[in-house]
Amino acid sequence: MPSRVAGSRARFGRSADNEAYLPDPRVSLYQAAIEARANGVFVEGIGGADVTVNGRIVGTTVLKIGDVIGVGPYDVTLAEPPEGHAAA
């Protein structure tokens, strides 16, 4: 289910204070973050946790529309954002 995040960074993880709460024991408390920067939208693993983009483990990488981010058993697909937003 989609949720809206104000600001330039959204964290994904099992802790309820993440912007994207993923309540599965295979997900770290704080596993990944997506951040809008001046030169693009990036995803990065937090605290050494594994994150995949299109099936490949990444540390930090720039994202493009259609990329599939793997966080534990969850897949998050980067979609075309509405006008005025950095990511969807």
Side-chain angles (χ1 to χ4, degrees):
M1 113 182 61
S3 60
R4 295 185 186 270
V5 175
S8 63
R9 184 173 167 99
R11 295 169 303 153
F12 293 74
R14 198 174 71 242
S15 179
D17 66 339
N18 285 291
E19 289 76 20
Y21 170 59
L22 304 174
D24 187 285
R26 294 169 287 180
V27 175
S28 298
L29 290 175
Y30 302 96
Q31 185 148 351
I34 295 178
E35 184 173 16
R37 301 177 186 166
N39 55 341
V41 176
F42 288 76
V43 65
E44 66 181 321
I46 299 174
D50 284 341
V51 177
T52 65
V53 174
N54 302 324
R56 295 179 137 162
I57 296 174
V58 298
T60 300
T61 192
V62 67
L63 296 170
K64 62 186 182 311
I65 303 303
D67 280 347
V68 178
I69 305 155
V71 182
Y74 300 94
D75 286 334
V76 178
T77 302
L78 193 67
E80 186 70 43
E83 189 172 322
H85 294 82

